[in-house]
């Protein structure tokens, strides 16, 4: 294992080095939070693919393939569909808004009264997303070093917090590009063909497994519908995803770069399902489907290659974890803390700079690590996150983009009613039930329509300013460079 250990250690050291390099570039709020809105198509595509394909997509995607066969690709496939929909239909408009958070978009659209509550919901989502990614370190470090779960979470989480705190989005962008390359080589170019060959090829896999393993809809229609509702729509409105859209240097970059990333996700989804199916042939009686990835890597790959593939898994987890962490800190600082202090940012005026955002990333990072140590069930934490996001925020966000009659009162009612409905239904039906997101989303839609139609339309001046910003003619918030000693 010495060669494998060397590969992993070099990879982790590289992540920290890029964090240090990113610190030298992040001299303003715009550069720290959205990489100066300067990413070109290649870098934008790679980093966008990296953030959406995390530990759940890699380890979990292989596990679903082990359990259901090729139809296990549907979870990651719906993530890719969501990214494609966001990129083709909405990303250009989102990029032109020149904001930092989803809540700022809601303030622009509805006139400044929807931000705080939506910020709390988005903060809860990004926090739980970061927690689920951080928990996954335990699985990977256990395979590598037979390490204690708590220690694994602390080590993995600390590295992500360190490079994210140092350089913000510049560090995360650089590390995500490396992680994208490592994932592509490790999972698509190495693990996928090796797993198929070790399982005897597709003909042998078909001979040894039931036919339902090769049924594209074998996982079940209701499950696929739920995946679409949670993950496809979740991709449209998550702060972690929008914050990457804000990094694009133009609306065309956001549209076409995101389309490439979404297509990559579809390929990655199928690869994970095939690897899981191959693992089922080789290890038909594993105690848990989620151990399929670690088992096939540990037992079937040669020295050196094994280290690279485990680095790929680590890369998948770290990219999602760092993206969720900076999103969580950005929302906490800009949408919650600043509002509670009564600080209102006006165009051309900066009230907090790089130092303040660094502090928030550090504080949120510690909170994420502590929460990850306390929680055990990754699936439940991820379900809570997406249920809150979709049930509470999907309607007011898409409604604001698509329906000019929507009002601030309607948006607030939608967030509150949808969020409370999801929480109450999860308590009644269970966290993993489908009903909370179904009925929560429906109640959010009804509240939005009824209250919007029952209240005065949004002021003409607010809508005019919104249209100007959507057209790319609005004033972009300016950031002043931070002195070097900060």
């Amino acid at each position: 294992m010495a060669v494998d250990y060397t590969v992993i250690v070099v990879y982790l050291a590289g992540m920290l080095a890029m964090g240090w390099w990113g610190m030298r570039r992040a001299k303003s709020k715009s550069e720290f939070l959205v990489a100066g809105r300067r990413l070109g198509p290649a870098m934008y595509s790679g980093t966008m693919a990296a953030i959406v394909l995390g530990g759940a997509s890699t380890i979990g995607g292989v596990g679903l393939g082990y359990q259901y066969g090729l139809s296990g690709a549907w979870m990651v496939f719906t993530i890719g569909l969501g990214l494609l929909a966001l990129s083709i239909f909405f990303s250009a408009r989102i990029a032109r808004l020149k904001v930092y958070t989803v809540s700022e978009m809601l303030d622009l659209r509805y006139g400044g009264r929807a931000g705080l509550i939506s910020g709390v919901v988005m903060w809860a989502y990004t926090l739980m997303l970061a927690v689920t990614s951080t928990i996954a370190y335990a699985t990977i470090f256990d395979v590598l070093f037979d390490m204690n779960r708590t220690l694994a979470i602390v080590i993995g989480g600390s590295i992500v917090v360190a490079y994210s705190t140092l350089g913000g989005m510049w560090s995360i962008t650089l590390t995500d590009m490396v992680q994208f390359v490592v994932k592509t080589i490790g999972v698509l170019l190495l693990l996928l063909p090796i797993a198929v060959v070790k399982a005897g090829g597709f003909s042998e896999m078909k001979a040894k497994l039931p036919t339902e393993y090769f049924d594209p809809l074998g996982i079940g229609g209701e499950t696929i519908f739920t995946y679409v509702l949670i993950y496809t729509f979740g991709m449209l409105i998550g702060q972690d995803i929008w914050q990457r859209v804000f990094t694009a240097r133009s609306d065309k970059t956001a549209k076409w770069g995101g389309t490439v990333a979404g297509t990559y996700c579809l390929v990655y989804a199928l690869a994970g399902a095939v690897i899981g199916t191959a693992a089922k042939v080789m290890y038909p009686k594993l105690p848990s489907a989620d151990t399929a990835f670690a088992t096939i890597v540990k037992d079937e790959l040669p020295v050196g290659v094994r280290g690279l593939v485990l680095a790929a898994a680590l890369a998948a987890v770290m990219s999602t974890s760092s993206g969720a962490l900076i999103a969580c800190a950005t929302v906490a600082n800009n949408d919650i803390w600043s509002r509670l202090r009564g600080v209102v940012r006006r165009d051309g005026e900066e009230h907090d700079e790089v130092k303040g955002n660094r502090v928030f990333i550090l504080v949120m990072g510690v909170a994420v690590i502590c929460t990850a140590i306390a929680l055990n069930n990754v699936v439940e934490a991820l379900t809570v996150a997406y249920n809150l996001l979709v049930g509470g925020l999907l309607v007011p966000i898409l409604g604001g983009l698509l329906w000019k009659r929507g009002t601030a009162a309607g948006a607030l009612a939608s967030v509150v009613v949808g969020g409370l409905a999801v929480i109450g239904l999860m308590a009644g039906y269970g966290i993993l039930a489908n009903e909370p997101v179904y009925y929560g989303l429906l109640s959010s839609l009804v509240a939005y329509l009824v209250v919007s139609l029952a209240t005065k339309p949004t002021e003409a001046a607010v809508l005019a300013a919104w249209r100007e910003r959507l057209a790319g003619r609005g004033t972009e918030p300016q950031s002043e460079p931070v002195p070097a000693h900060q």
Side-chain angles (χ1 to χ4, degrees):
M1 292 287 287
V3 176
D4 297 326
Y5 291 162
T6 301
V7 172
I8 298 297
V9 170
V10 168
Y11 167 76
L12 294 176
M15 295 300 99
L16 291 174
M18 288 187 180
W20 184 262
W21 187 87
M23 181 175 67
R24 298 166 63 89
R25 297 201 63 170
K27 300 299 184 183
S28 70
K29 179 178 179 180
S30 175
E31 289 179 335
F32 190 81
L33 295 181
V34 290
R37 308 187 197 274
R38 288 189 290 176
L39 297 193
M43 189 167 280
Y44 179 85
S45 298
T47 57
M48 182 62 87
I51 188 176
V52 300
L53 296 173
S57 300
T58 303
I59 299 170
V62 172
L64 287 171
Y66 182 89
Q67 192 172 358
Y68 298 104
L70 297 186
S71 68
W74 272 105
M75 184 187 79
V76 184
F77 202 83
T78 55
I79 290 174
L81 291 178
L83 186 51
L84 284 172
L86 173 71
S87 301
I88 294 170
F89 298 114
F90 298 107
S91 63
R93 280 183 282 180
I94 292 170
R96 287 195 294 265
L97 289 175
K98 304 295 184 185
V99 295
Y100 292 106
T101 68
V102 174
S103 294
E104 285 185 34
M105 167 263 166
L106 292 173
D107 276 352
L108 277 171
R109 168 61 182 82
Y110 294 111
R113 294 190 296 274
L116 180 59
I117 294 176
S118 64
V120 171
V121 175
M122 189 64 77
W123 173 80
Y125 156 72
T126 53
L127 179 72
M128 295 308 291
L129 186 61
V131 165
T132 58
S133 300
T134 304
I135 291 173
Y137 295 128
T139 302
I140 299 169
F141 279 94
D142 178 57
V143 175
L144 281 170
F145 309 114
D146 194 23
M147 187 179 290
N148 172 270
R149 177 183 183 275
T150 299
L151 182 60
I153 289 172
V154 170
I155 291 175
S158 296
I159 291 170
V160 170
V161 172
Y163 73 69
S164 300
T165 302
L166 285 172
M169 187 60 82
W170 269 123
S171 293
I172 292 171
T173 296
L174 293 170
T175 55
D176 277 0
M177 276 306 296
V178 175
Q179 289 158 357
F180 171 74
V181 172
V182 171
K183 274 193 287 195
T184 301
I185 295 172
V187 175
L188 297 185
L189 302 183
L190 292 176
L191 183 57
L192 175 61
I194 289 173
V196 172
V197 170
K198 291 278 188 178
F202 285 105
S203 58
E204 188 71 13
M205 291 163 63
K206 285 187 176 182
K208 289 188 175 181
L209 293 174
T211 54
E212 56 262 28
Y213 264 71
F214 302 92
D215 179 359
L217 303 178
I219 199 169
E222 185 178 355
T223 299
I224 294 171
F225 178 73
T226 303
Y227 284 159
V228 170
L229 202 59
I230 293 177
Y231 296 115
T232 301
F233 285 114
M235 287 295 106
L236 298 180
I237 58 174
Q239 169 68 25
D240 52 322
I241 310 302
W242 277 40
Q243 199 155 343
R244 293 308 171 99
V245 175
F246 300 151
T247 65
R249 71 183 178 198
S250 69
D251 52 4
K252 288 184 178 179
T253 296
K255 182 175 182 179
W256 297 113
T259 301
V260 171
T263 304
Y264 178 90
C265 292
L266 303 184
V267 175
Y268 200 88
L270 186 58
V274 171
I275 293 168
T277 305
K280 183 68 175 179
V281 173
M282 290 182 278
Y283 310 98
K285 295 185 179 180
L286 288 178
S288 169
D290 286 338
T291 63
F293 180 89
T295 302
I296 196 171
V297 170
K298 194 172 185 179
D299 294 349
E300 302 297 336
L301 299 185
V303 172
V305 173
R306 179 170 50 205
L308 184 59
V309 173
L310 286 171
L314 200 56
V317 175
M318 283 186 160
S319 56
T320 299
S321 181
S322 59
L325 175 60
I326 193 171
C328 179
T330 303
V331 170
N333 191 8
N334 287 263
D335 295 335
I336 300 176
W337 178 243
S338 294
R339 295 169 196 271
L340 291 177
R341 287 189 305 154
V343 175
V344 179
R345 180 180 51 75
R346 288 178 284 273
D347 288 341
E349 188 177 351
E350 282 295 318
H351 289 276
D352 79 89
E353 294 285 355
V354 174
K355 186 176 181 180
N357 283 292
R358 268 201 188 104
V359 171
F360 268 87
I361 290 178
L362 182 60
V363 171
M364 290 299 107
V366 172
V368 164
I369 291 171
C370 293
T371 307
I373 291 171
L375 289 179
N376 284 314
N377 196 313
V378 178
V379 176
E380 287 192 357
L382 193 63
T383 301
V384 169
Y386 274 98
N387 280 355
L388 278 173
L389 177 71
V390 174
L393 291 179
L394 178 67
V395 170
I397 291 172
L398 293 188
L401 289 168
L402 300 173
W403 190 44
K404 66 179 182 180
R405 185 60 181 83
T407 66
L412 283 172
S414 179
V415 173
V416 173
V417 170
L420 292 177
V422 164
I423 293 171
L425 290 164
M426 283 193 294
Y429 284 98
I431 290 176
L432 298 179
N434 293 329
E435 287 83 359
V437 72
Y438 293 168
Y439 300 136
L441 187 57
L442 181 61
S443 63
S444 177
L445 177 61
V446 171
Y448 182 71
L449 293 174
V450 170
V451 176
S452 290
L453 292 173
T455 52
K456 290 183 178 179
T458 304
E459 294 178 8
V462 172
L463 287 177
W466 166 253
R467 286 192 293 269
E468 284 289 301
R469 188 67 72 90
L470 274 181
R473 295 190 294 267
T475 305
E476 178 180 358
Q478 301 296 314
S479 296
E480 296 180 4
V482 178
H485 69 271
Q486 292 187 349

